[in-house]
């Protein structure tokens, strides 16, 4: 991560470090250490307010579409339109982000999002809103996200520098998941009390907080990076850059499988709430709340770790998939509900570890394109996978569908873990230590030196 023109940047890790030895001396960070940095503190506070507004709008938007059309398919179309721009144009957004300064870019995208929400609020409050207005607003919001998302992701490293990157990324995730606990509740009160239009209005006004934070930042304290010059073939260059680095391409492939088949919680949890446990919307809401609690916990635990290890990503992905398989076989409602907490924790561990390891391993001039590819795969996977897992769930039942998603996560993590181990010059070692088997990856040259210990 460059601290200025000509400054050193964090190099991409050597493949031999892909699956490192256990962290015996890794520095552990304070859980909130990056908040000591003024610029990041301004960014964080602005995101707290804006994220609550974002969750309010999500709930209000879906409810408004449902009330206008009475169709769940229309709600699905709205969601698809919001994610479609990232799927179609996400990589081009990354190219633009690498060419531009991040703070002015974020000012433009945040203003665009605010205006979209305010326009929808005006239409709703005046009683003129139609479903096609919501479709247009969702697509416009998605277009702004194409640039806003990679810009925000890569701007974090400019705010805090390499030493606090994992902590800052983890706190951002905790911030978003905490808003997930507050925003829907506030939206519910507004919808039942004064109407959906006020939720859109408050979301539009909530963008004042991040805009004020961006304008109050001290430019001299940013860890600025050299921007990529304008030129032809930069999209292709970014793809070749990722394809040539195992520490980048394989985590993205893993997240692609998990995001497409295992992260479709609206499909799985709604089916369990309605078809398996016959609990309705209240039980579905409880599942999501418990998962959000686990996600916040996972993000805060990640904030304490000083480094992001690909080994941790593989183990967390396998644990996540295993918990989905276990939950699918759980016969009791209370047991299934309790499993939502560790599911949320390990899902967030996968998310944060992937995000941080990609940013740390990427050259600053390429970071926008790499993060855009990551977000395109991660966010674009759910709309692609939802019809598939929905068909499996409808045809074979919720338990089979959930278990299938978990099985894909476990299989993908196992295969990619072995690939990374091979690239890193590691091999599986099984030895006996004090009467118990010890399974771990070790360098190939050390394999012969390891002898069983009685």
């Amino acid at each position: 991560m460059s601290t200025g023109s000509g400054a050193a940047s964090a190099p991409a890790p050597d493949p031999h470090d892909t699956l490192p030895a256990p962290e015996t001396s890794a520095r552990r960070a304070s859980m909130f250490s990056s908040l000591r940095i003024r610029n990041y503190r301004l960014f964080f506070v602005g995101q707290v307010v804006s994220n609550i507004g974002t969750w309010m709008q999500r709930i209000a938007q879906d409810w408004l579409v449902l009330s206008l059309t009475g169709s769940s398919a229309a709600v699905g179309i709205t969601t698809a339109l919001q994610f479609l721009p990232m799927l179609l144009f996400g990589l081009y957004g990354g190219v633009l982000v690498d060419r531009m300064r991040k703070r002015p870019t974020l000012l433009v995208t945040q203003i665009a999002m605010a205006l979209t929400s305010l326009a929808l609020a005006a239409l709703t409050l005046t009683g003129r809103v139609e479903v096609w207005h919501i479709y247009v607003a969702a697509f416009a919001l998605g277009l702004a996200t194409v640039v806003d998302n990679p810009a925000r992701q890569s701007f974090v490293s400019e705010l805090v520098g390499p030493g606090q990157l994992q902590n800052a990324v983890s706190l951002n995730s905790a911030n978003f998941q905490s808003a997930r606990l507050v925003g829907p509740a506030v939206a519910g009160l507004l919808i039942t009390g004064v109407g959906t239009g006020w939720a859109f209005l408050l979301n539009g006004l909530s963008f004042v907080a991040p805009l004020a934070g961006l304008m109050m930042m001290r430019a001299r304290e940013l860890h600025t990076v050299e921007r990529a010059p304008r030129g032809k073939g930069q999209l292709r260059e970014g793809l070749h850059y990722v394809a040539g680095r195992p520490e980048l391409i394989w985590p993205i492939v893993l997240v692609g499988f998990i995001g497409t088949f295992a992260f479709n919680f609206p499909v799985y949890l709604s089916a369990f709430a309605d078809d398996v446990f016959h609990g309705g919307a209240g039980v579905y809401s409880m599942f999501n709340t418990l998962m959000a609690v686990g996600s916040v916990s996972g993000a805060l635990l990640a904030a304490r770790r000083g480094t992001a290890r690909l080994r941790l990503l593989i183990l967390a992905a396998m644990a996540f998939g295993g918990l989905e398989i276990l939950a699918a076989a759980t016969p009791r409602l209370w047991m299934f509900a309790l499993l939502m907490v560790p599911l949320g924790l390990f899902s967030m561990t996968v998310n944060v570890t992937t995000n941080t390891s990609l940013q740390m391993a990427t050259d600053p001039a390429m970071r926008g394109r790499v993060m855009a590819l990551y977000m395109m795969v991660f966010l674009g996977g759910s709309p692609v996978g939802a019809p598939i897992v929905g068909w499996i769930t409808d045809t074979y039942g919720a338990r089979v569908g959930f278990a299938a998603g978990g099985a894909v996560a476990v299989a993908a993590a196992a295969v990619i873990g072995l690939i990374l181990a091979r690239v890193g010059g590691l091999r599986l070692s099984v030895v006996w230590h004090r009467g118990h088997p010890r399974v771990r990856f070790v360098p190939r040259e050390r394999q012969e030196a390891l002898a069983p210990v009685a």
Side-chain angles (χ1 to χ4, degrees), residues 125-395:
L125 291 172
T126 58
R128 299 177 181 176
V129 69
E130 297 180 24
V131 69
W132 71 268
H133 294 143
I134 306 171
Y135 288 164
V136 171
F139 189 76
L141 189 63
L143 285 175
T145 303
V146 166
V147 176
D148 182 82
N149 216 312
R152 272 191 300 108
Q153 298 284 344
S154 54
F155 187 51
V156 173
S157 64
E158 296 190 18
L159 291 170
V160 300
Q164 296 288 347
L165 182 58
Q166 162 128 353
N167 183 262
V169 169
S170 302
L171 289 181
N172 282 352
S173 298
N175 184 331
F176 186 75
Q177 294 300 327
S178 298
R180 182 180 174 184
L181 296 173
V182 178
V186 176
L189 292 174
L190 288 172
I191 291 170
T192 57
V194 293
T196 54
W198 291 96
F200 298 139
L201 177 61
L202 289 180
N203 180 48
L205 296 177
S206 75
F207 284 96
V208 171
L211 288 170
L214 288 167
M215 290 186 288
M216 291 169 63
M217 290 176 184
R218 296 169 181 162
R220 65 181 182 277
E221 296 178 9
L222 293 174
H223 298 255
T224 55
V225 300
E226 185 176 349
R227 286 177 284 161
R230 184 182 298 272
K232 294 182 178 180
Q234 289 181 321
L235 176 57
R236 185 170 59 251
E237 180 187 10
L239 293 174
H240 286 167
Y241 177 83
V242 172
R245 286 165 171 77
E247 70 278 7
L248 298 180
I249 184 63
W250 290 114
I252 291 176
V253 170
L254 175 58
V255 166
F257 276 105
I258 293 176
T260 301
F261 297 104
F263 267 26
N264 278 287
F265 292 115
V267 176
Y268 297 136
L269 299 188
S270 60
F272 266 86
D274 191 34
D275 300 332
V276 177
F277 297 118
H278 309 291
V283 172
Y284 177 59
S285 176
M286 178 184 67
F287 291 160
N288 280 279
T289 300
L290 290 171
M291 183 165 285
V293 170
S295 297
V296 172
S297 302
L300 292 177
L301 287 173
R304 291 185 60 86
R305 288 192 290 269
T307 55
R309 304 278 189 176
L310 291 184
R311 180 183 60 184
L312 175 63
L313 171 61
I314 298 299
L315 293 175
M318 294 187 73
F320 171 75
L323 282 168
E324 285 199 343
I325 296 172
L326 178 61
T330 299
R332 302 291 183 185
L333 171 61
W334 67 269
M335 296 171 65
F336 185 88
L338 287 180
L339 286 174
M340 294 301 100
V341 176
L343 263 175
L345 188 151
F346 282 107
S347 70
M348 186 52 57
T349 302
V350 170
N351 192 344
V352 171
T353 305
T354 306
N355 190 316
T356 310
S357 63
L358 290 178
Q359 293 208 48
M360 291 295 292
T362 302
D363 185 273
M366 288 284 185
R367 191 168 289 131
R369 278 164 281 184
V370 172
M371 296 312 294
L373 177 61
Y374 161 63
M375 296 309 299
M376 185 187 76
V377 170
F378 185 58
L379 295 179
S382 289
V384 172
I388 299 173
V389 300
W391 176 81
I392 294 173
T393 299
D394 287 342
T395 305

Side-chain angles (χ1 to χ4, degrees), residues 18-39:
T18 304
L19 291 177
E23 294 180 42
T24 56
S25 60
R27 176 180 55 81
R28 291 190 177 273
S30 166
M31 187 174 288
F32 302 101
S33 57
S34 55
L35 289 176
R36 300 190 189 108
I37 301 170
R38 180 181 181 275
N39 282 346

